[in-house]
Amino acid sequence: MWNQIMAMMDADTLLQNLKHFCGTEQYYKHWLGLCYTEGVQYLAKNTQCFWLIDAIASHQPKALKNQRLKEFQLWFLHVGKEHEFIKPTGHNAAVLTCWEDSPTASTKPAIIQQIPFTDFPLKEIKLYLKEKILLLPDEN
């Protein structure tokens, strides 16, 4: 029980801290070519989720073949099965999806990656990839 309370407090603190990022003065370069902002760096560093940046970067060859994803991509990581229609399948812990626009139950994501295990503290996170720069929505 104590661990669950601490995890919730940590997630709440993280969410509050992420709200403070509303632009960036420094960009970080990923070895696969995309750049990301200070907010994404903060997220990755404080949740040990550099794997999330790696995953998004690794999907770029496929994503960039889709004309509608060349300038803007909407990425969601959903942990657990609580979302209305974006859920990991089978015994997977999470699912990473890429969308051309806001997700709806009647549309399918352009990219889906099942995540077998994660200790990511948030139930979901939304990231934008805009002109090869990965950013938090408030940094847009």
Side-chain angles (χ1 to χ4, degrees):
M1 179 71 172
W2 177 252
N3 287 340
Q4 289 176 338
I5 292 170
M6 290 303 292
M8 282 189 278
M9 286 176 22
D10 290 342
D12 289 342
T13 301
L14 177 64
L15 285 172
Q16 285 297 86
N17 291 345
L18 290 175
K19 289 179 183 178
H20 295 288
F21 292 95
C22 58
T24 195
E25 293 181 10
Q26 181 176 356
Y27 293 97
Y28 298 84
K29 181 95 167 152
H30 188 273
W31 64 275
L32 287 176
L34 62 83
C35 292
Y36 53 97
T37 61
E38 292 170 312
V40 174
Q41 171 71 10
Y42 179 89
L43 173 72
K45 185 176 179 183
N46 286 281
T47 62
Q48 297 301 303
C49 75
F50 286 96
W51 59 267
L52 180 57
I53 301 169
D54 293 343
I56 292 170
S58 73
H59 286 293
Q60 290 313 294
K62 178 181 179 182
L64 294 176
K65 289 179 183 175
N66 180 335
Q67 225 19 59
R68 295 182 185 159
L69 295 174
K70 286 191 177 203
E71 291 186 23
F72 179 81
Q73 300 168 21
L74 177 58
W75 287 89
F76 279 99
L77 175 66
H78 287 278
V79 179
K81 300 186 185 240
E82 294 180 18
H83 190 273
E84 180 183 347
F85 58 88
I86 305 172
K87 303 175 190 283
T89 59
H91 295 290
N92 291 301
V95 62
L96 177 65
T97 56
C98 176
W99 302 79
E100 297 171 1
D101 201 349
S102 295
T104 65
S106 64
T107 59
K108 291 188 177 189
I111 296 170
I112 301 173
Q113 180 181 344
Q114 299 294 328
I115 310 291
F117 172 81
T118 184
D119 58 358
F120 189 75
L122 304 177
K123 295 195 183 296
E124 69 177 29
I125 190 74
K126 174 172 46 172
L127 299 171
Y128 296 160
L129 186 67
K130 186 175 178 182
E131 298 173 0
K132 299 184 182 178
I133 298 172
L134 190 62
L135 56 141
L136 300 172
D138 289 342
E139 292 179 300
N140 189 17

